Amino acid sequence: MKMNTSVAALALVGMLALSGPASAKGRARDVEPQVIEIHAKKFGYEPEQITLHKGETYKLHLTSDDVPHSLRIKQLDLNAKMKAGEFDDVLFTPEQMGDFTADCGLYCGAGHKKMSMIVHVVGK
Ligand SMILES: [Cu+2]
């Protein structure tokens, strides 16, 4: 009888010890978002494709090397301006998996419709 009680007490101590690391895990998620630099230029983007993880927040570091463009993905609710010679940071969290084609939402000349970039969104 006495032994059973101490076993139960030990089990309780073990459970309390386990609850500690679980809350520390929550803090590890407060890391700075990964920065992804993207350049637009008549008539394309650099890089031409990127891979992101669904549900993760990224900081898009956007600029244009010539005239104003934008980076638009309708399905992911993104349409960010890309200013000429100036950087803008845009926080972006893709919430759908799949292969998406980003295009330019700002008319920039004869090749405007040809501007595209592939964004792969994968699971973790
Ligand atoms: Cu454009």
Side-chain angles (χ1 to χ4, degrees):
M1 247 342 207
K2 209 176 178 189
M3 255 176 95
N4 283 345
T5 313
S6 55
V7 165
L10 273 175
L12 186 65
V13 168
M15 270 155 61
L16 287 173
L18 278 175
S19 66
S23 52
K25 206 176 169 186
R27 255 178 275 136
R29 305 189 80 192
D30 285 342
V31 287
E32 278 285 293
Q34 190 189 330
V35 177
I36 300 176
E37 184 168 328
I38 303 169
H39 290 247
K41 195 179 180 178
K42 287 181 179 180
F43 293 102
Y45 297 95
E46 179 60 44
E48 291 178 342
Q49 45 182 299
I50 56 173
T51 299
L52 308 176
H53 289 99
K54 182 191 168 197
E56 208 147 294
T57 299
Y58 297 87
K59 188 185 279 186
L60 305 180
H61 192 52
L62 306 174
T63 191
S64 167
D65 295 337
D66 45 32
V67 301
H69 298 275
S70 88
L71 187 69
R72 178 175 66 178
I73 307 173
K74 287 174 189 164
Q75 302 100 308
L76 298 179
D77 205 23
L78 177 76
N79 190 3
K81 284 178 184 159
M82 302 177 85
K83 295 178 192 159
E86 216 178 297
F87 280 93
D88 273 314
D89 288 331
V90 175
L91 290 177
F92 175 55
T93 310
E95 298 290 5
Q96 273 183 71
M97 283 197 273
D99 295 333
F100 301 92
T101 303
D103 66 1
C104 180
L106 209 62
Y107 183 76
C108 57
H112 167 70
K113 283 190 170 169
K114 284 190 277 180
M115 288 187 69
S116 71
M117 175 181 172
I118 307 297
V119 177
H120 306 281
V121 182
V122 299
K124 291 193 184 176

